[in-house]
Amino acid sequence: MSQTIRENIKQIQSEVGNTKLVVVSKYRSLPELEEVYATGHRHFGENRVQELVEKHGALPKDIHWHVIGHLQTNKVKYIVPFVHLIHSVDSFKLLKAINKEAEKVNRVIPFLFQLHIAQEESKYGLTPTELETILSSDDYHNLKHVLCRGLMGMATNTDKKDMVLQEFNGLHQLYLEHKEDQNWDTLSMGMSGDYKLAVAAGSSHIRVGSKIFG
Ligand SMILES: *Cc1c(COP(=O)(O)O)cnc(C)c1O
């Protein structure tokens, strides 16, 4: 069992080279996370605040916790003291709430803007136009307790590789348009079913769960 988790991580890392792997540990038990931890891996992704807070409390403090799912403004305060990177900033309102809570604990929180790139109604994320509006506003540049590192996106859940690749390439393009002037270094795209396509399209961070835990 533990051999499998270890082997899966090793296999994925050998496939993606320098691309960083965030192990998506949502719904997984503490013993499973401890197995991942024992391999030396320190980057874990969660999408529910309560679960994240509980796991953070129970596990070693040198784990880097990534928030990858939709975040409600009233829950921000619970994660701001320790979160490593928020991948899923999908509104200006949420960003302002993060800034406000981060100020209280005297932190600067790294984050990514989540863009809506899939042909699916249900997924969260900004449109490119909404992103431009935020980036060009004075209000945005006055937020001193958040630091944007780049973009995140989820492709359509489909077997059509050309469609997925096109969505990832589009996000990469948008990322490159701002990388230099915004000082970005992180492009988070790719999950169990599509991380190879994401890496081919220029992803810097993949978020993989089921391919590791089975
Ligand atoms: C669950 C989840 C993942 C991982 O999905 P898998 O298919 O299990 O690899 C990645 N990103 C987000 C935002 C998720 O919610």
Side-chain angles (χ1 to χ4, degrees), residues 35-180:
E35 284 189 38
V36 175
Y37 186 86
T39 71
H41 199 86
R42 294 293 179 269
H43 289 265
F44 291 73
E46 291 281 334
N47 66 351
R48 285 168 52 215
V49 167
Q50 191 182 337
E51 193 176 331
L52 171 55
V53 168
E54 283 170 14
K55 286 174 173 171
H56 169 259
L59 290 167
K61 294 300 170 277
D62 61 342
I63 293 176
H64 298 297
W65 292 101
H66 296 246
V67 168
I68 61 169
H70 178 65
L71 187 54
Q72 290 170 271
T73 53
N74 63 345
K75 302 253 174 84
V76 168
K77 58 177 176 282
Y78 302 113
I79 55 136
V80 147
F82 66 87
V83 69
H84 176 71
L85 177 66
I86 301 174
H87 293 230
S88 46
V89 170
D90 54 12
S91 73
F92 199 21
K93 176 174 164 246
L94 172 60
L95 187 60
K96 285 188 253 188
I98 297 168
N99 185 74
K100 191 174 157 200
E101 294 300 328
E103 187 171 4
K104 290 182 191 165
V105 294
N106 200 21
R107 285 195 71 201
V108 176
I109 306 291
F111 75 94
L112 310 175
F113 284 114
Q114 181 175 354
L115 271 287
H116 185 287
I117 59 170
Q119 301 293 320
E120 285 160 15
E121 290 280 311
S122 63
K123 286 186 181 153
Y124 293 102
L126 302 167
T127 65
T129 309
E130 288 168 332
L131 175 69
E132 301 301 337
T133 303
I134 295 173
L135 293 181
S136 59
S137 77
D138 288 341
D139 276 3
Y140 173 62
H141 295 282
N142 288 332
L143 301 177
K144 299 298 180 211
H145 289 269
V146 285
L147 178 67
C148 188
R149 303 289 300 269
L151 304 177
M152 181 271 234
M154 293 165 82
T156 305
N157 184 9
T158 172
D159 289 336
K160 293 179 193 145
K161 286 190 179 175
D162 50 343
M163 181 175 178
V164 171
L165 197 53
Q166 194 178 354
E167 290 169 0
F168 284 152
N169 281 331
L171 188 61
H172 184 231
Q173 191 55 42
L174 188 63
Y175 170 73
L176 288 182
E177 281 169 27
H178 295 284
K179 183 182 177 353
E180 300 303 328

Side-chain angles (χ1 to χ4, degrees), residues 8-19:
N8 290 345
I9 290 177
K10 227 171 131 182
Q11 151 117 32
I12 292 165
Q13 274 176 335
S14 74
E15 287 167 345
V16 305
N18 290 330
T19 309

Side-chain angles (χ1 to χ4, degrees), residues 24 26 28 47 68-69 152 154 190-193 207-211:
V24 175
K26 65 186 188 200
R28 306 295 169 175
N47 66 351
I68 61 169
M152 181 271 234
M154 293 165 82
M191 312 177 15
S192 290
R207 312 174 308 272
V208 180
S210 43
K211 186 88 192 275

